[in-house]
Amino acid sequence: MKPTSVLTMLLEVTDLDVRYGRNHAVKSLSLSLPLNAIVTVLGANGAGKSSLLKAIMGIVPATSGSIRFDGQDITGSTVPQRTRGGLVLVPEGRQILTSLTVHENLLMGAYPRKHFDHRETDAIYDRFANLAQRRDMQASVLSGGEQQMLAIGRALLAKPRLMMLDEPSLGLSPLLVNQLFTLLGDLNHEGLTLLLVEQNTHMALKVAQYGYVLELGKVSLEGTPDQLQDDDQLQAAYLGG
Amino acid sequence: MLLMQQIVNGIMLGGVYVMVAVAFTLTIGMLNFLNFTIPALFMVAAMVFWATMSGGFGEGFDSLFGSVLPVGMQWVVGVLLALIAATLCSLLIERFTYRYMKTRYGDATEHAIPLVSSLGFLIIFEHIVIMIWGTDPMSLNSPFGAATWRVGGLLIGVPQLISLVLSIAIVAALHLLLKRTKTGRALRSIAENPDTALLLGVDVQRIVPVVYVVTGLLCAIAGILFAINYRTVGPYIGEQVATIAIAGMVLGGLGNIWGAIVGGLIVGLLEALATYWFGADIVKVPIWGLLLLVLVIKPTGLFGQSAIGKGKF
Ligand SMILES: Nc1ncnc2c1ncn2[C@@H]1O[C@H](COP(=O)(O)OP(=O)(O)O)[C@@H](O)[C@H]1O
Ligand SMILES: [Mg+2]
């Protein structure tokens, strides 16, 4: 099920370039993401995955190309504008605010929203019992797995239309990785569209409906999980090809 | 009894230092920026207040307001003008020091440029005041007279008491703002990590001026209270107060509001006691002596944590 024009595209990236001075991190990349899908972006370290997500989020500027979200061109929008529009990024390394409490971190997640009832955090605490126990503690006391829950809970409180996750399984135990991917599947069933950057190819291809493989800033391969799993190039891409 | 009186005086004096120390600590904690224009904001507010109260703006100004204001309400205009003047000056510094340097040279906080630039603004503001009113100390017609209370054998100046209560109330309100409000959480997020704050949708460029407005208001209130308490103002009062307030801030721990409060009160107390024991000429010696001693024993100050500018609130 390659995304076609029959499906509603929530996100369309066209010919995107990201440069850091002379460093050309993303090269003429195009990608589309149907509403309610999970699409994964795979690739070795330095392939440009994080740069892609940061450009979609507006954290780094697109040197050229365009980004359409929900039918609107957001290429020139600021990060706050994009967050208000329903884009959210669970960043690499989670970026928990350790000087704030767990609860305050969650409240910060709702920052882009005009109308927010503090009781909406209850749904997050129901989902993540560990966070409920540590509600009023400094977020610095959380374990890696709990930090990832907090990062996702915080992102959920933004009421996003599209959640992007940058290597969420990094540093988690196999058990937690399993829980994480179950959670991502659940969220998708509840109607959330996900763009998932992963190095855990196996797990990512299990939940995603479509995947892109990046190599040195370019899409070297794309297809359904079945197509990708059968491809010898996938291994090569991982070795940095 | 004389000693007790000095202690009372010192704590009262501390109120002014507390507000200036908190102003310093806010910009350091939030923006990692030692803002040297703070003394000028304090001084400008005191001068504007004095000028409104004591004819510093000339007869035209006085008659203008004399005709519209009920007698005795001049001080309200003075307070408003002082608050506005200091806030505008503070925003000017944000625009031409912090933001300018940041947009021009990337992360301005990594550089000494904003610091040096703010020092430049301090000198400019001082000299503008000198050009207008000269360097002589000016005396203020205090609207509040010299009311005092006798408690036991102690003499407590009513304006001093009010200013102490007011400064602690203001700092407590600031603390609540930071802890309990959405804007406060956003400011604390910026203090810890501006990149994360931006990622979460905080418009960092828009919210940074809030810090400067708060700085301007704190300095202005401190300046007005100083003018009312001492009834003498001049272009250099900012420097005099700020050097001691800085010592108080560092003593309490950089970037820590409660540290600035305790530090400000300690230096106020120390100043009063040192004046009593050793005379007014050398008051700064014990203050900076204590500071250096504390720094040797605990380099982060009494309440400071490790790195500066990383989530102090
Ligand atoms: N802020 C930056 N400045 C300069 N180069 C960068 C920056 N961030 C990433 N890069 C470079 O861009 C390329 C892609 O990096 P990144 O997007 O982080 O890849 P990935 O997430 O796939 O590991 C790498 O060569 C990296 O060194
Ligand atoms: Mg990455």
Side-chain angles (χ1 to χ4, degrees):
Chain A
M1 52 160 275
K2 177 174 170 56
T4 60
S5 52
V6 181
L7 296 165
T8 319
M9 290 301 161
L10 183 59
L11 179 77
E12 280 177 290
V13 175
T14 314
D15 292 332
L16 178 74
D17 273 73
V18 177
R19 288 172 191 268
Y20 305 99
R22 279 207 217 130
N23 202 339
H24 202 162
V26 176
K27 297 168 190 157
S28 189
L29 186 148
S30 297
L31 165 156
S32 46
L33 180 52
L35 193 63
N36 295 332
I38 301 185
V39 169
T40 185
V41 175
L42 308 167
N45 265 331
K49 306 181 297 297
S50 296
S51 301
L52 168 66
L53 295 192
K54 284 179 190 167
I56 296 172
M57 199 64 223
I59 294 166
V60 298
T63 318
S64 66
S66 79
I67 302 165
R68 289 181 75 79
F69 177 64
D70 209 8
Q72 290 195 317
D73 190 337
I74 58 163
T75 319
S77 307
T78 63
V79 183
Q81 285 166 340
R82 293 181 208 211
T83 57
R84 283 194 293 272
L87 259 175
V88 73
L89 169 63
V90 178
E92 203 171 3
R94 294 140 186 137
Q95 292 194 19
I96 295 303
L97 293 159
T98 53
S99 64
L100 273 59
T101 65
V102 168
H103 192 64
E104 287 173 330
N105 268 277
L106 289 179
L107 295 182
M108 279 308 293
Y111 188 85
R113 292 171 53 190
K114 269 217 179 70
H115 304 287
F116 170 66
D117 182 345
H118 283 215
R119 280 171 300 189
E120 285 180 44
T121 54
D122 292 351
I124 305 298
Y125 292 128
D126 286 344
R127 214 187 266 279
F128 306 116
N130 284 23
L131 296 186
Q133 286 163 15
R134 293 171 178 52
R135 187 181 185 277
D136 295 311
M137 295 184 195
Q138 296 268 115
S140 51
V141 304
L142 298 185
S143 69
E146 290 165 345
Q147 285 195 13
Q148 191 56 267
M149 290 176 202
L150 181 56
I152 292 175
R154 184 175 71 179
L156 284 173
L157 281 172
K159 264 206 177 163
R161 307 208 56 211
L162 166 59
M163 184 187 286
M164 302 189 281
L165 300 107
D166 196 347
E167 303 202 26
S169 72
L170 199 71
L172 299 187
S173 69
L175 181 72
L176 287 175
V177 171
N178 270 319
Q179 283 178 10
L180 171 74
F181 280 93
T182 308
L183 169 69
L184 296 182
D186 291 349
L187 291 174
N188 182 238
H189 277 295
E190 292 163 25
L192 189 61
T193 311
L194 297 174
L195 180 57
L196 174 64
V197 159
E198 261 302 340
Q199 295 214 41
N200 190 333
T201 318
H202 177 68
M203 293 299 283
L205 289 177
K206 257 189 177 169
V207 293
Q209 287 106 43
Y210 200 80
Y212 293 82
V213 179
L214 292 199
E215 218 174 311
L216 299 172
K218 284 189 186 140
V219 176
S220 66
L221 203 61
E222 63 177 287
T224 61
D226 288 342
Q227 290 167 339
L228 293 179
Q229 241 139 13
D230 293 341
D231 201 298
D232 297 339
Q233 275 186 49
L234 192 61
Q235 273 313 102
Y238 270 81
L239 300 172
Chain B
M1 206 34 134
L2 213 55
L3 181 65
M4 274 307 288
Q5 182 68 54
Q6 289 306 315
I7 290 174
V8 168
N9 293 352
I11 292 173
M12 306 263 185
L13 187 64
V16 169
Y17 293 138
V18 164
M19 278 205 266
V20 178
V22 168
F24 272 116
T25 226
L26 256 188
T27 17
I28 288 187
M30 292 289 168
L31 311 172
N32 212 358
F33 168 38
L34 179 54
N35 183 352
F36 268 123
T37 331
I38 283 172
L41 303 176
F42 173 91
M43 179 274 292
V44 164
M47 293 304 290
V48 167
F49 181 70
W50 159 81
T52 318
M53 302 297 296
S54 309
F57 287 133
E59 277 173 25
F61 177 91
D62 290 346
S63 57
L64 177 70
F65 280 103
S67 60
V68 290
L69 278 177
V71 183
M73 287 306 279
Q74 215 178 7
W75 67 274
V76 177
V77 177
V79 168
L80 284 178
L81 288 182
L83 292 177
I84 292 168
T87 306
L88 287 182
C89 290
S90 188
L91 284 172
L92 204 67
I93 294 147
E94 193 274 332
R95 184 65 191 82
F96 290 102
T97 295
Y98 188 77
R99 194 191 313 180
Y100 177 78
M101 298 301 172
K102 189 147 180 122
T103 47
R104 267 291 165 109
Y105 303 106
D107 188 0
T109 61
E110 298 295 330
H111 299 278
I113 306 169
L115 187 145
V116 174
S117 160
S118 74
L119 204 55
F121 266 106
L122 168 63
I123 294 165
I124 290 171
F125 283 136
E126 279 181 358
H127 281 85
I128 290 174
V129 167
I130 290 170
M131 268 157 41
I132 301 173
W133 291 304
T135 54
D136 291 339
M138 305 288 190
S139 60
L140 177 87
N141 304 329
S142 173
F144 305 105
T148 51
W149 269 344
R150 256 182 197 289
V151 179
L154 296 176
L155 217 53
I156 297 181
V158 173
Q160 281 92 334
L161 184 64
I162 290 173
S163 66
L164 178 68
V165 172
L166 196 61
S167 43
I168 291 180
I170 286 169
V171 174
L174 185 64
H175 181 77
L176 281 180
L177 174 113
L178 285 170
K179 286 284 177 199
R180 297 262 182 272
T181 68
K182 185 174 175 180
T183 304
R185 279 190 293 274
L187 285 167
R188 285 158 59 214
S189 304
I190 295 174
E192 176 171 336
N193 188 338
D195 294 336
T196 305
L198 179 69
L199 174 75
L200 296 174
V202 178
D203 199 334
V204 178
Q205 290 300 325
R206 280 244 190 112
I207 221 170
V208 160
V210 172
V211 178
Y212 284 81
V213 169
V214 172
T215 305
L217 291 176
L218 280 173
C219 294
I221 296 168
I224 295 164
L225 293 176
F226 179 94
I228 292 174
N229 284 333
Y230 296 96
R231 285 182 244 154
T232 308
V233 296
Y236 299 121
I237 56 169
E239 282 179 27
Q240 287 159 13
V241 168
T243 45
I244 294 178
I246 284 186
M249 168 193 67
V250 179
L251 196 63
L254 286 168
N256 183 307
I257 288 192
W258 295 107
I261 295 174
V262 175
L265 290 175
I266 291 178
V267 291
L269 194 59
L270 207 59
E271 178 176 345
L273 292 178
T275 313
Y276 172 65
W277 280 322
F278 311 117
D281 293 340
I282 58 154
V283 284
K284 287 192 180 172
V285 177
I287 289 173
W288 287 86
L290 174 70
L291 174 64
L292 295 177
L293 191 71
V294 168
L295 288 185
V296 167
I297 300 166
K298 192 166 184 298
T300 52
L302 296 175
F303 298 92
Q305 295 140 29
S306 51
I308 291 175
K310 289 283 172 265
K312 291 302 176 79
F313 306 103

